[in-house]
Amino acid sequence: MDEVEVVVAHSERATLRVGDVFLKVDADRERIDAEVEAMAVAPVPTPKVLWHKPPVLAIAALPGTALGRLGEPSTASPAAWAAAGAAIRRLHDAPLPPRPGQAGRRPDELAADLDGECEWLVTNGVLPADLVARNRQVAEAALRPWTPVFTHGDLQIDHVFVDGDEITGIIDWSEAGQGDALYDLATLTLGHEEHLGDVVAGYGTGVDLDVIRVWWSSRSLLNVRWLVEHGFDPFAPGCEIDVLRSTC
């Protein structure tokens, strides 16, 4: 019998691996339904859905390995990073899905979220007030009009799989929907600024590098509390806290 590997587990969801099958258990039925819907129409490689019986989704493992890990140097080639950029462009050029995604918060909603997270970081002594204030000022530039595209919404580096220079699939679509294209590009390159040029080379035109850097601050400010409360370490080298320190 194959061993059961716990890939990730916290109060909202858990992912288990049994051989070549991943079992995703999610307390939010709408979120897992959205994931299935997004994978069915995304014009990029995605895992094969084996079965879906809420709250459980069974998907097949993808060939290849993750493009990298946050906090670790990526061993993927520049061509693989460019291929990731090209795949994201195909996604962003696809017809819009029906619902907004994680990357689709309105500027007023995003501003309120940022203010709330910044207050929590300072009140609880997680980060120095001056560091939070500087990054909040940087993040202000993300509060701008944008044209909605089909976004993944949680395009972390370890959600993109490659085999050599080819993209074999993108996983974890629960936050997909209409959103800001630059949010996806920023999420992929968070902590890996050295590969931003390769991604943009594959993605093509229409990329504002300054806004991508702004999103690095914004996403890090928004994520630290969730990471701390769910057992992850944003203080690990190369992760969110280092990103906040490096962008000021």
Side-chain angles (χ1 to χ4, degrees), residues 4 30 44 82 97 107 112 152 204 212 232 245:
V4 176
E30 288 188 4
V44 296
H152 179 279
I212 287 179
F232 299 98
R245 290 169 176 156

Side-chain angles (χ1 to χ4, degrees), residues 11-31:
S11 60
E12 294 179 4
R13 67 190 83 167
T15 301
L16 310 176
R17 180 170 186 169
V18 185
D20 289 331
V21 177
F22 286 88
L23 300 175
K24 302 187 69 173
V25 185
D26 199 315
D28 186 335
R29 176 166 181 166
E30 288 188 4
R31 187 164 51 206

